PDB file of all heavy atoms in Angstrom:
ATOM      1  N   GLN A 331      11.412  25.291  -8.974  1.00 98.00           N
ATOM      2  CA  GLN A 331      12.570  25.733  -8.188  1.00 98.00           C
ATOM      3  C   GLN A 331      12.906  24.736  -7.074  1.00 98.00           C
ATOM      4  O   GLN A 331      14.085  24.446  -6.824  1.00 98.00           O
ATOM      5  CB  GLN A 331      12.290  27.131  -7.622  1.00 98.00           C
ATOM      6  CG  GLN A 331      13.431  27.699  -6.800  1.00 98.00           C
ATOM      7  CD  GLN A 331      13.087  27.750  -5.325  1.00 98.00           C
ATOM      8  OE1 GLN A 331      12.022  28.229  -4.955  1.00 98.00           O
ATOM      9  NE2 GLN A 331      13.985  27.259  -4.482  1.00 98.00           N
ATOM     10  N   TYR A 332      11.893  24.194  -6.410  1.00 99.00           N
ATOM     11  CA  TYR A 332      12.168  23.231  -5.332  1.00 99.00           C
ATOM     12  C   TYR A 332      12.714  21.914  -5.888  1.00 99.00           C
ATOM     13  O   TYR A 332      13.469  21.219  -5.213  1.00 99.00           O
ATOM     14  CB  TYR A 332      10.914  23.001  -4.462  1.00 99.00           C
ATOM     15  CG  TYR A 332      10.900  23.937  -3.272  1.00 99.00           C
ATOM     16  CD1 TYR A 332      10.742  25.307  -3.455  1.00 99.00           C
ATOM     17  CD2 TYR A 332      11.105  23.460  -1.976  1.00 99.00           C
ATOM     18  CE1 TYR A 332      10.774  26.182  -2.376  1.00 99.00           C
ATOM     19  CE2 TYR A 332      11.131  24.323  -0.890  1.00 99.00           C
ATOM     20  CZ  TYR A 332      10.969  25.678  -1.095  1.00 99.00           C
ATOM     21  OH  TYR A 332      11.011  26.537  -0.032  1.00 99.00           O
ATOM     22  N   PHE A 333      12.341  21.614  -7.105  1.00 98.00           N
ATOM     23  CA  PHE A 333      12.946  20.440  -7.752  1.00 98.00           C
ATOM     24  C   PHE A 333      14.421  20.718  -8.015  1.00 98.00           C
ATOM     25  O   PHE A 333      15.298  19.905  -7.685  1.00 98.00           O
ATOM     26  CB  PHE A 333      12.214  20.121  -9.065  1.00 98.00           C
ATOM     27  CG  PHE A 333      12.939  19.132  -9.919  1.00 98.00           C
ATOM     28  CD1 PHE A 333      12.945  17.779  -9.589  1.00 98.00           C
ATOM     29  CD2 PHE A 333      13.658  19.547 -11.047  1.00 98.00           C
ATOM     30  CE1 PHE A 333      13.644  16.860 -10.376  1.00 98.00           C
ATOM     31  CE2 PHE A 333      14.357  18.629 -11.828  1.00 98.00           C
ATOM     32  CZ  PHE A 333      14.349  17.287 -11.486  1.00 98.00           C
ATOM     33  N   ARG A 334      14.705  21.899  -8.598  1.00 98.00           N
ATOM     34  CA  ARG A 334      16.096  22.221  -8.949  1.00 98.00           C
ATOM     35  C   ARG A 334      16.960  22.410  -7.696  1.00 98.00           C
ATOM     36  O   ARG A 334      18.093  21.941  -7.633  1.00 98.00           O
ATOM     37  CB  ARG A 334      16.166  23.514  -9.772  1.00 98.00           C
ATOM     38  CG  ARG A 334      15.447  23.484 -11.100  1.00 98.00           C
ATOM     39  CD  ARG A 334      16.048  22.562 -12.121  1.00 98.00           C
ATOM     40  NE  ARG A 334      17.485  22.708 -12.278  1.00 98.00           N
ATOM     41  CZ  ARG A 334      18.256  21.906 -12.999  1.00 98.00           C
ATOM     42  NH1 ARG A 334      17.708  20.869 -13.625  1.00 98.00           N
ATOM     43  NH2 ARG A 334      19.540  22.106 -13.106  1.00 98.00           N
ATOM     44  N   SER A 335      16.426  23.140  -6.729  1.00 98.00           N
ATOM     45  CA  SER A 335      17.256  23.484  -5.567  1.00 98.00           C
ATOM     46  C   SER A 335      17.429  22.334  -4.594  1.00 98.00           C
ATOM     47  O   SER A 335      18.510  22.140  -4.043  1.00 98.00           O
ATOM     48  CB  SER A 335      16.645  24.669  -4.801  1.00 98.00           C
ATOM     49  OG  SER A 335      16.497  25.788  -5.632  1.00 98.00           O
ATOM     50  N   TYR A 336      16.339  21.597  -4.363  1.00 98.00           N
ATOM     51  CA  TYR A 336      16.373  20.608  -3.281  1.00 98.00           C
ATOM     52  C   TYR A 336      16.056  19.188  -3.745  1.00 98.00           C
ATOM     53  O   TYR A 336      15.985  18.273  -2.923  1.00 98.00           O
ATOM     54  CB  TYR A 336      15.371  20.986  -2.176  1.00 98.00           C
ATOM     55  CG  TYR A 336      15.522  22.400  -1.678  1.00 98.00           C
ATOM     56  CD1 TYR A 336      14.534  23.347  -1.906  1.00 98.00           C
ATOM     57  CD2 TYR A 336      16.670  22.789  -0.977  1.00 98.00           C
ATOM     58  CE1 TYR A 336      14.674  24.646  -1.443  1.00 98.00           C
ATOM     59  CE2 TYR A 336      16.817  24.088  -0.526  1.00 98.00           C
ATOM     60  CZ  TYR A 336      15.817  25.015  -0.758  1.00 98.00           C
ATOM     61  OH  TYR A 336      15.951  26.300  -0.313  1.00 98.00           O
ATOM     62  N   GLY A 337      15.797  19.023  -5.023  1.00 98.00           N
ATOM     63  CA  GLY A 337      15.501  17.683  -5.522  1.00 98.00           C
ATOM     64  C   GLY A 337      14.133  17.152  -5.147  1.00 98.00           C
ATOM     65  O   GLY A 337      13.889  15.946  -5.233  1.00 98.00           O
ATOM     66  N   LEU A 338      13.218  18.049  -4.738  1.00 98.00           N
ATOM     67  CA  LEU A 338      11.851  17.576  -4.464  1.00 98.00           C
ATOM     68  C   LEU A 338      11.264  17.038  -5.773  1.00 98.00           C
ATOM     69  O   LEU A 338      11.354  17.692  -6.820  1.00 98.00           O
ATOM     70  CB  LEU A 338      10.973  18.730  -3.943  1.00 98.00           C
ATOM     71  CG  LEU A 338      10.605  18.681  -2.458  1.00 98.00           C
ATOM     72  CD1 LEU A 338      11.853  18.740  -1.601  1.00 98.00           C
ATOM     73  CD2 LEU A 338       9.682  19.832  -2.103  1.00 98.00           C
ATOM     74  N   ARG A 339      10.643  15.884  -5.679  1.00 99.00           N
ATOM     75  CA  ARG A 339      10.176  15.232  -6.916  1.00 99.00           C
ATOM     76  C   ARG A 339       8.783  15.760  -7.315  1.00 99.00           C
ATOM     77  O   ARG A 339       7.766  15.102  -7.140  1.00 99.00           O
ATOM     78  CB  ARG A 339      10.165  13.720  -6.720  1.00 99.00           C
ATOM     79  CG  ARG A 339      11.595  13.180  -6.519  1.00 99.00           C
ATOM     80  CD  ARG A 339      11.619  11.677  -6.591  1.00 99.00           C
ATOM     81  NE  ARG A 339      10.888  11.049  -5.508  1.00 99.00           N
ATOM     82  CZ  ARG A 339      10.380   9.829  -5.558  1.00 99.00           C
ATOM     83  NH1 ARG A 339      10.476   9.114  -6.665  1.00 99.00           N
ATOM     84  NH2 ARG A 339       9.756   9.315  -4.518  1.00 99.00           N
ATOM     85  N   VAL A 340       8.799  16.965  -7.826  1.00 99.00           N
ATOM     86  CA  VAL A 340       7.559  17.666  -8.158  1.00 99.00           C
ATOM     87  C   VAL A 340       7.216  17.471  -9.639  1.00 99.00           C
ATOM     88  O   VAL A 340       8.045  17.681 -10.517  1.00 99.00           O
ATOM     89  CB  VAL A 340       7.723  19.178  -7.875  1.00 99.00           C
ATOM     90  CG1 VAL A 340       6.491  19.953  -8.344  1.00 99.00           C
ATOM     91  CG2 VAL A 340       7.991  19.418  -6.397  1.00 99.00           C
ATOM     92  N   VAL A 341       5.971  17.073  -9.884  1.00 99.00           N
ATOM     93  CA  VAL A 341       5.453  16.995 -11.256  1.00 99.00           C
ATOM     94  C   VAL A 341       4.335  18.021 -11.375  1.00 99.00           C
ATOM     95  O   VAL A 341       3.390  17.999 -10.590  1.00 99.00           O
ATOM     96  CB  VAL A 341       4.906  15.585 -11.576  1.00 99.00           C
ATOM     97  CG1 VAL A 341       4.388  15.538 -13.009  1.00 99.00           C
ATOM     98  CG2 VAL A 341       5.972  14.527 -11.336  1.00 99.00           C
ATOM     99  N   ARG A 342       4.484  18.911 -12.338  1.00 99.00           N
ATOM    100  CA  ARG A 342       3.495  19.991 -12.479  1.00 99.00           C
ATOM    101  C   ARG A 342       2.512  19.675 -13.600  1.00 99.00           C
ATOM    102  O   ARG A 342       2.930  19.312 -14.698  1.00 99.00           O
ATOM    103  CB  ARG A 342       4.220  21.308 -12.782  1.00 99.00           C
ATOM    104  CG  ARG A 342       5.128  21.767 -11.648  1.00 99.00           C
ATOM    105  CD  ARG A 342       6.090  22.848 -12.097  1.00 99.00           C
ATOM    106  NE  ARG A 342       7.125  22.337 -12.967  1.00 99.00           N
ATOM    107  CZ  ARG A 342       7.708  23.032 -13.945  1.00 99.00           C
ATOM    108  NH1 ARG A 342       7.336  24.269 -14.195  1.00 99.00           N
ATOM    109  NH2 ARG A 342       8.662  22.502 -14.686  1.00 99.00           N
ATOM    110  N   THR A 343       1.233  19.822 -13.287  1.00 98.00           N
ATOM    111  CA  THR A 343       0.204  19.603 -14.311  1.00 98.00           C
ATOM    112  C   THR A 343      -0.510  20.925 -14.586  1.00 98.00           C
ATOM    113  O   THR A 343      -1.041  21.539 -13.667  1.00 98.00           O
ATOM    114  CB  THR A 343      -0.830  18.566 -13.832  1.00 98.00           C
ATOM    115  OG1 THR A 343      -1.256  18.925 -12.502  1.00 98.00           O
ATOM    116  CG2 THR A 343      -0.239  17.171 -13.807  1.00 98.00           C
ATOM    117  N   ARG A 344      -0.489  21.357 -15.827  1.00 98.00           N
ATOM    118  CA  ARG A 344      -1.255  22.555 -16.210  1.00 98.00           C
ATOM    119  C   ARG A 344      -2.571  22.069 -16.814  1.00 98.00           C
ATOM    120  O   ARG A 344      -2.661  21.768 -18.004  1.00 98.00           O
ATOM    121  CB  ARG A 344      -0.483  23.394 -17.223  1.00 98.00           C
ATOM    122  CG  ARG A 344       0.603  24.220 -16.599  1.00 98.00           C
ATOM    123  CD  ARG A 344       1.255  25.180 -17.586  1.00 98.00           C
ATOM    124  NE  ARG A 344       2.535  25.593 -17.038  1.00 98.00           N
ATOM    125  CZ  ARG A 344       3.590  25.924 -17.768  1.00 98.00           C
ATOM    126  NH1 ARG A 344       3.508  25.912 -19.095  1.00 98.00           N
ATOM    127  NH2 ARG A 344       4.704  26.283 -17.175  1.00 98.00           N
ATOM    128  N   THR A 345      -3.552  21.997 -15.953  1.00 98.00           N
ATOM    129  CA  THR A 345      -4.827  21.434 -16.368  1.00 98.00           C
ATOM    130  C   THR A 345      -5.726  22.522 -16.949  1.00 98.00           C
ATOM    131  O   THR A 345      -5.829  23.613 -16.394  1.00 98.00           O
ATOM    132  CB  THR A 345      -5.519  20.766 -15.165  1.00 98.00           C
ATOM    133  OG1 THR A 345      -4.559  19.920 -14.528  1.00 98.00           O
ATOM    134  CG2 THR A 345      -6.700  19.938 -15.603  1.00 98.00           C
ATOM    135  N   PHE A 346      -6.355  22.181 -18.067  1.00 98.00           N
ATOM    136  CA  PHE A 346      -7.328  23.085 -18.669  1.00 98.00           C
ATOM    137  C   PHE A 346      -8.667  22.888 -17.941  1.00 98.00           C
ATOM    138  O   PHE A 346      -8.757  22.111 -17.005  1.00 98.00           O
ATOM    139  CB  PHE A 346      -7.390  22.831 -20.178  1.00 98.00           C
ATOM    140  CG  PHE A 346      -6.202  23.429 -20.904  1.00 98.00           C
ATOM    141  CD1 PHE A 346      -4.897  23.078 -20.548  1.00 98.00           C
ATOM    142  CD2 PHE A 346      -6.371  24.378 -21.903  1.00 98.00           C
ATOM    143  CE1 PHE A 346      -3.790  23.651 -21.175  1.00 98.00           C
ATOM    144  CE2 PHE A 346      -5.279  24.956 -22.541  1.00 98.00           C
ATOM    145  CZ  PHE A 346      -3.989  24.597 -22.177  1.00 98.00           C
ATOM    146  N   ASN A 347      -9.684  23.594 -18.390  1.00 98.00           N
ATOM    147  CA  ASN A 347     -10.950  23.568 -17.650  1.00 98.00           C
ATOM    148  C   ASN A 347     -11.455  22.139 -17.474  1.00 98.00           C
ATOM    149  O   ASN A 347     -11.359  21.328 -18.397  1.00 98.00           O
ATOM    150  CB  ASN A 347     -12.010  24.391 -18.386  1.00 98.00           C
ATOM    151  CG  ASN A 347     -11.663  25.860 -18.378  1.00 98.00           C
ATOM    152  OD1 ASN A 347     -10.613  26.253 -18.894  1.00 98.00           O
ATOM    153  ND2 ASN A 347     -12.504  26.671 -17.786  1.00 98.00           N
ATOM    154  N   HIS A 348     -11.982  21.882 -16.314  1.00 98.00           N
ATOM    155  CA  HIS A 348     -12.582  20.575 -16.085  1.00 98.00           C
ATOM    156  C   HIS A 348     -13.859  20.756 -15.290  1.00 98.00           C
ATOM    157  O   HIS A 348     -14.006  21.693 -14.517  1.00 98.00           O
ATOM    158  CB  HIS A 348     -11.622  19.604 -15.410  1.00 98.00           C
ATOM    159  CG  HIS A 348     -10.814  20.177 -14.295  1.00 98.00           C
ATOM    160  ND1 HIS A 348      -9.895  21.189 -14.467  1.00 98.00           N
ATOM    161  CD2 HIS A 348     -10.781  19.886 -12.971  1.00 98.00           C
ATOM    162  CE1 HIS A 348      -9.333  21.478 -13.315  1.00 98.00           C
ATOM    163  NE2 HIS A 348      -9.862  20.713 -12.379  1.00 98.00           N
ATOM    164  N   THR A 349     -14.768  19.839 -15.532  1.00 98.00           N
ATOM    165  CA  THR A 349     -16.066  19.956 -14.873  1.00 98.00           C
ATOM    166  C   THR A 349     -16.679  18.571 -14.726  1.00 98.00           C
ATOM    167  O   THR A 349     -16.095  17.575 -15.132  1.00 98.00           O
ATOM    168  CB  THR A 349     -16.990  20.925 -15.636  1.00 98.00           C
ATOM    169  OG1 THR A 349     -18.182  21.121 -14.869  1.00 98.00           O
ATOM    170  CG2 THR A 349     -17.346  20.416 -17.027  1.00 98.00           C
ATOM    171  N   GLY A 350     -17.867  18.557 -14.132  1.00 98.00           N
ATOM    172  CA  GLY A 350     -18.555  17.299 -13.866  1.00 98.00           C
ATOM    173  C   GLY A 350     -19.336  17.448 -12.575  1.00 98.00           C
ATOM    174  O   GLY A 350     -19.359  18.528 -11.967  1.00 98.00           O
ATOM    175  N   PRO A 351     -19.981  16.382 -12.110  1.00 98.00           N
ATOM    176  CA  PRO A 351     -20.749  16.454 -10.874  1.00 98.00           C
ATOM    177  C   PRO A 351     -19.910  17.014  -9.734  1.00 98.00           C
ATOM    178  O   PRO A 351     -18.723  16.704  -9.621  1.00 98.00           O
ATOM    179  CB  PRO A 351     -21.115  14.983 -10.609  1.00 98.00           C
ATOM    180  CG  PRO A 351     -21.090  14.346 -11.961  1.00 98.00           C
ATOM    181  CD  PRO A 351     -20.031  15.052 -12.740  1.00 98.00           C
ATOM    182  N   ARG A 352     -20.556  17.825  -8.901  1.00 98.00           N
ATOM    183  CA  ARG A 352     -19.939  18.479  -7.733  1.00 98.00           C
ATOM    184  C   ARG A 352     -19.149  19.737  -8.077  1.00 98.00           C
ATOM    185  O   ARG A 352     -18.537  20.337  -7.194  1.00 98.00           O
ATOM    186  CB  ARG A 352     -19.020  17.538  -6.950  1.00 98.00           C
ATOM    187  CG  ARG A 352     -19.740  16.408  -6.293  1.00 98.00           C
ATOM    188  CD  ARG A 352     -18.753  15.587  -5.478  1.00 98.00           C
ATOM    189  NE  ARG A 352     -19.030  14.193  -5.690  1.00 98.00           N
ATOM    190  CZ  ARG A 352     -18.113  13.251  -5.845  1.00 98.00           C
ATOM    191  NH1 ARG A 352     -16.836  13.541  -5.781  1.00 98.00           N
ATOM    192  NH2 ARG A 352     -18.473  12.022  -6.042  1.00 98.00           N
ATOM    193  N   ARG A 353     -19.105  20.097  -9.327  1.00 98.00           N
ATOM    194  CA  ARG A 353     -18.432  21.338  -9.689  1.00 98.00           C
ATOM    195  C   ARG A 353     -19.076  22.476  -8.907  1.00 98.00           C
ATOM    196  O   ARG A 353     -20.306  22.568  -8.832  1.00 98.00           O
ATOM    197  CB  ARG A 353     -18.605  21.561 -11.195  1.00 98.00           C
ATOM    198  CG  ARG A 353     -17.879  22.763 -11.785  1.00 98.00           C
ATOM    199  CD  ARG A 353     -16.503  22.800 -11.319  1.00 98.00           C
ATOM    200  NE  ARG A 353     -15.548  23.433 -12.225  1.00 98.00           N
ATOM    201  CZ  ARG A 353     -14.411  23.966 -11.787  1.00 98.00           C
ATOM    202  NH1 ARG A 353     -14.125  23.964 -10.507  1.00 98.00           N
ATOM    203  NH2 ARG A 353     -13.553  24.459 -12.626  1.00 98.00           N
ATOM    204  N   GLY A 354     -18.273  23.342  -8.309  1.00 97.00           N
ATOM    205  CA  GLY A 354     -18.795  24.472  -7.535  1.00 97.00           C
ATOM    206  C   GLY A 354     -19.684  25.357  -8.387  1.00 97.00           C
ATOM    207  O   GLY A 354     -19.428  25.558  -9.580  1.00 97.00           O
TER     208      GLY A 354
END
Side-chain angles (χ1 to χ4, degrees):
Q331 181 251 311
Y332 267 67
F333 168 75
R334 298 293 311 172
S335 302
Y336 308 113
L338 252 61
R339 295 191 295 157
V340 174
V341 180
R342 296 165 288 149
T343 49
R344 282 187 199 150
T345 311
F346 284 57
N347 293 60
H348 43 297
T349 187
R352 294 183 223 139
R353 184 47 152 156

